[in-house]
């Protein structure tokens, strides 16, 4: 009872000390490739050295912290890193809590849970490094500054505690993310900027989780390497496997995970404080809860209610040195810089979806890509709805089936005659086998797994009855079959 009362007062004090206007900000997260972040990366290296030396049963250890995200259900052979863990029946408190199962609850809590997860790691690093103003650096991938697209040197230093061998070789060898991959990240970042909803299949959270989040997990873990690469995955203890970051159960053990998720959090914060940013309601979160369990720097087990989580994630004690989208401060009232209506504190929520048209396809997406012609009545009906409603929210739905986790990604465009292709979104498949069960080679059930990818296309449509194409381009040389079952276009009320 005493502990609960103490926790209540901690939360209450936090609410007063760290209001949404950021007046209570104490810490600044910096670009990992900037000189200003050097001391933070050194502190992180110091802390991780101590964390790696701790037994895996210790809550502050590298292994325990990685396992809070997830852990393989079975370790191949005797677990050399953690003798206490062999199968899921051995998992310790708060292990395998991450939000990667594609349920409504997981999707709604994805950004919030990961914000809390890395926030606690930040506290632990402060304690173990002695750097009291430590703030978790972010990897600013997708930047127009080429130097930002390199993995920060301390992360790839083989003599340091932040190095993992099972990563995309060009990154560990000090080369930049390839130009085509950088362009892919930039496309997804630009599309996220104007997303009108936090929730829903086409919402900001779901699409950010796909790209650049899932894209970068697979990229760092070698999934998009050409020629293909395989590694010894030290968490699974398997040879000829994908890298730590490419698998949900091993991703949290790679120290670059924390810089990656600091960037994901920065993207969210940039959107949240922009004129487009929206939020889930507390009522939604309470109706779709998730376990929030973490280890405090003193080793205590901390469990949060959804009310406590909501208060913390929207009343931060940190900020970023810069934000995307030209965002600088919250816009909660009045007008934006160009006269746009300011964002509302409560999100537009996906509610009713009215199908405008749908068409069954039932064809695999070949290496040459896929083109679907939207002609005649379908094009006219789409345009009729688009023009008839003010701020019409039109969504493109792609229903696919996969039978093995693809090592490829698929970029979706709209094409109008005589115009450049309009980027719509990216289909990535990070975590598909984790969500639905996997065999030795990331195999899925014989019936496959049905997935839905949804994208707002209102800002991509042309106000005319002209026919247009839906284009899907495949990138990669994987052998996993992705079957496009159905295409539909719908209006969200």
């Amino acid at each position: 009872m005493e502990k609960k009362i103490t926790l209540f007062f901690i939360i209450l004090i936090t609410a007063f000390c760290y209001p949404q206007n950021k007046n209570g900000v104490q810490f600044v997260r910096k670009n990992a490739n900037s000189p200003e972040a050097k001391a933070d990366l050194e502190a992180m290296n110091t802390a991780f050295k101590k964390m790696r030396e701790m037994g895996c049963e210790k809550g502050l250890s590298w292994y325990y912290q990685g396992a809070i995200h997830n852990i393989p259900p079975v370790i191949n052979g005797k677990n050399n890193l953690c003798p206490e863990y062999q199968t899921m029946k051995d998992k310790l408190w708060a292990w395998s809590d991450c939000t990667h199962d594609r349920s409504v609850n997981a999707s709604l809590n994805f950004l919030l849970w990961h914000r809390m997860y890395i926030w606690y790691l930040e506290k632990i690093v402060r304690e173990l490094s002695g750097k009291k103003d430590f703030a978790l650096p972010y990897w600013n991938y997708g930047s127009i500054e080429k130097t930002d697209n390199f993995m920060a040197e301390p992360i790839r230093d083989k003599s340091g505690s932040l190095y993992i061998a099972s990563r995309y070789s060009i990154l560990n060898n000090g080369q930049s993310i390839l130009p085509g991959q950088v362009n892919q990240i930039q496309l997804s970042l630009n599309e996220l900027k104007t997303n009108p909803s936090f929730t829903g299949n086409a919402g900001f959270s779901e699409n950010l989780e796909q790209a650049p989040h899932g894209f970068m997990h697979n990229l760092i873990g070698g999934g998009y390497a050409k020629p293909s690469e395989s590694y010894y995955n030290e968490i699974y203890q398997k040879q000829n496997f994908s890298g730590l970051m490419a698998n949900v159960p091993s991703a949290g053990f790679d120290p670059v995970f924390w810089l990656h998720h600091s960037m994901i959090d920065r993207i969210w914060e940039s959107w949240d404080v922009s004129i487009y940013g929206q939020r889930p309601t507390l009522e939604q979160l309470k109706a779709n809860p998730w376990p929030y369990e973490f280890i405090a720097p003193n080793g205590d087990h901390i469990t949060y209610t959804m009310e406590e989580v909501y208060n913390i994630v929207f009343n931060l004690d940190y900020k970023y040195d810069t934000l995307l989208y030209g965002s600088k401060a919250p816009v909660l009232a009045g007008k934006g810089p160009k006269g746009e209506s300011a964002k509302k504190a409560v999100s537009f929520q996906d509610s009713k979806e009215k199908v405008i048209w749908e068409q069954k396809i039932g064809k695999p997406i070949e290496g040459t890509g896929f083109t679907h012609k939207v002609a005649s009545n379908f094009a006219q009906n789409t345009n009729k709805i688009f023009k008839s409603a003010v701020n019409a929210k039109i969504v493109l739905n792609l229903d696919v089936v996969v039978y093995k986790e693809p090592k490829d990604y698929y970029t979706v465009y709209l094409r109008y005659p005589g115009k450049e292709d309009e980027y719509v979104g990216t289909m990535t498949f990070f975590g598909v086998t984790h969500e639905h069960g996997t065999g030795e080679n990331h195999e899925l059930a014989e019936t496959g797994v049905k997935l839905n990818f949804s994208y707002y296309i209102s800002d991509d449509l042309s106000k005319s009855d002209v026919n247009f194409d839906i284009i899907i381009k495949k990138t990669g040389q994987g052998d996993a079959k992705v079957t496009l079952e159905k295409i539909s276009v719908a209006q969200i009320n």
Side-chain angles (χ1 to χ4, degrees):
M1 183 65 174
E2 181 180 347
K3 185 174 180 181
K4 289 183 178 179
I5 293 173
T6 301
L7 181 58
F8 170 78
F9 281 108
I10 290 173
I11 299 300
L12 187 62
I13 291 169
T14 300
F16 284 106
C17 291
Y18 306 131
Q20 176 59 32
N21 64 13
K22 305 296 191 291
N23 290 336
V25 166
Q26 290 186 329
F27 308 102
V28 180
R29 293 183 178 177
K30 306 174 187 73
N31 182 339
N33 282 301
S34 70
E36 292 78 12
K38 184 177 180 181
D40 286 323
L41 287 168
E42 289 174 355
M44 196 171 169
N45 186 53
T46 298
F48 267 71
K49 184 176 187 300
K50 294 179 181 179
M51 293 166 70
R52 285 179 179 274
E53 292 169 351
M54 295 179 186
C56 68
E57 78 285 359
K58 303 293 185 183
L60 304 190
S61 71
W62 160 72
Y63 199 94
Y64 202 110
Q65 286 296 306
I68 288 176
H69 186 262
N70 211 265
I71 194 163
V74 178
I75 302 298
N76 186 42
K78 182 181 178 181
N79 191 340
N80 298 320
L81 295 172
C82 184
E84 290 82 356
Y85 179 80
Q86 199 65 44
T87 69
M88 270 295 175
K89 67 180 177 59
D90 305 318
K91 77 183 185 78
L92 301 182
W93 185 83
W95 283 17
S96 299
D97 271 359
C98 76
T99 56
H100 292 299
D101 66 10
R102 290 184 185 250
S103 66
V104 173
N105 296 52
S107 178
L108 190 61
N109 286 276
F110 165 66
L111 288 171
L112 287 78
W113 186 89
H114 285 83
R115 174 168 282 185
M116 295 286 289
Y117 182 42
I118 66 175
W119 187 57
Y120 264 94
L121 186 279
E122 202 168 45
K123 295 174 184 294
I124 291 169
V125 172
R126 280 189 206 119
E127 181 68 24
L128 296 180
S129 69
K131 191 175 190 300
K132 299 306 180 185
D133 64 345
F134 171 81
L136 189 63
Y138 61 88
W139 183 3
N140 191 31
Y141 43 70
S143 171
I144 59 173
E145 299 294 334
K146 186 175 180 180
T147 54
D148 285 348
N149 291 302
F150 290 81
M151 185 181 288
E153 192 277 333
I155 301 295
R156 49 187 168 84
D157 179 2
K158 293 182 180 180
S159 67
S161 63
L162 305 179
Y163 177 79
I164 292 289
S166 57
R167 295 178 183 143
Y168 188 16
S169 60
I170 68 167
L171 300 178
N172 257 357
N173 293 337
Q175 297 171 257
S176 171
I177 300 172
L178 298 178
Q181 297 163 344
V182 171
N183 180 64
Q184 184 67 37
I185 298 167
Q186 291 172 341
L187 287 171
S188 60
L189 289 174
N190 289 337
E191 188 68 19
L192 285 166
K193 175 182 177 180
T194 57
N195 194 296
S197 173
F198 182 92
T199 61
N201 290 340
F204 179 87
S205 180
E206 184 75 21
N207 275 277
L208 175 56
E209 185 173 359
Q210 291 299 316
H213 168 261
F215 180 88
M216 286 302 298
H217 268 282
N218 284 334
L219 178 73
I220 297 167
Y224 301 147
K226 184 181 178 182
S228 62
E229 297 180 356
S230 60
Y231 319 90
Y232 173 69
N233 186 307
E234 63 186 276
I235 303 304
Y236 282 87
Q237 296 186 173
K238 288 184 181 180
Q239 297 283 0
N240 302 316
F241 209 67
S242 47
L244 267 62
M245 281 288 281
N247 301 275
V248 171
S250 59
F253 295 88
D254 188 336
V256 79
F257 171 95
W258 307 99
L259 275 64
H260 166 49
H261 269 278
S262 186
M263 177 60 176
I264 294 301
D265 188 77
R266 175 175 175 252
I267 297 166
W268 176 26
E269 180 70 359
S270 300
W271 178 79
D272 179 64
V273 302
S274 77
I275 61 173
Y276 298 100
Q278 304 292 334
R279 293 174 182 170
T281 63
L282 176 57
E283 289 70 25
Q284 278 183 302
L285 292 170
K286 290 170 72 174
N288 298 278
W290 198 263
Y292 283 80
E293 303 170 328
F294 305 101
I295 305 292
N298 65 359
D300 282 352
H301 293 185
I302 305 294
T303 299
Y304 288 104
T305 66
M306 296 311 298
E307 289 93 339
E308 291 165 345
V309 168
Y310 198 83
N311 179 67
I312 291 173
V313 299
F314 293 122
N315 293 283
L316 306 177
D317 66 348
Y318 64 86
K319 69 176 182 178
Y320 291 92
D321 55 359
T322 63
L323 293 176
L324 302 169
Y325 311 141
S327 301
K328 294 182 180 179
V331 181
L332 294 174
K335 297 288 184 178
K338 296 182 180 179
E340 305 96 335
S341 296
K343 72 168 188 170
K344 297 178 181 178
V346 177
S347 169
F348 154 73
Q349 309 297 343
D350 290 356
S351 52
K352 297 180 180 178
E353 182 175 297
K354 179 181 179 181
V355 175
I356 299 172
W357 61 264
E358 63 181 24
Q359 191 161 355
K360 292 183 178 179
I361 305 298
K363 295 181 180 179
I365 303 174
E366 305 293 345
T368 54
F370 177 85
T371 299
H372 179 74
K373 296 188 178 298
V374 182
S376 183
N377 291 338
F378 286 172
Q380 293 171 18
N381 289 344
T382 302
N383 187 48
K384 180 181 178 181
I385 297 296
F386 180 52
K387 290 193 300 184
S388 64
V390 178
N391 297 322
K393 295 176 176 65
I394 309 297
V395 170
L396 170 67
N397 291 303
L398 302 175
D399 294 328
V400 305
V401 175
V402 297
Y403 302 88
K404 181 179 178 180
E405 184 166 307
K407 291 186 176 181
D408 316 295
Y409 59 91
Y410 297 77
T411 313
V412 185
Y413 300 88
L414 295 189
R415 178 179 295 170
Y416 283 93
K419 295 185 178 181
E420 291 187 8
D421 291 351
E422 289 282 347
Y423 172 83
V424 169
T426 304
M427 294 193 291
T428 65
F429 299 89
F430 171 66
V432 169
T433 49
H434 166 70
E435 298 150 15
H436 300 280
T438 176
E440 288 292 305
N441 298 307
H442 286 200
E443 300 286 350
L444 297 163
E446 288 185 8
T447 55
V449 173
K450 297 182 184 297
L451 303 171
N452 169 263
F453 295 91
S454 298
Y455 309 101
Y456 285 107
I457 58 172
S458 299
D459 55 349
D460 304 308
L461 292 169
S462 175
K463 288 189 175 180
S464 70
D465 289 341
V466 66
N467 298 344
F468 62 93
D469 296 331
I470 297 169
I471 310 292
I472 304 176
K473 297 180 181 180
K474 175 183 176 181
T475 301
Q477 297 178 319
D479 60 355
K481 182 170 69 171
V482 176
T483 300
L484 181 61
E485 293 287 283
K486 184 175 69 175
I487 296 176
S488 64
V489 169
Q491 180 184 13
I492 301 293
N493 295 325

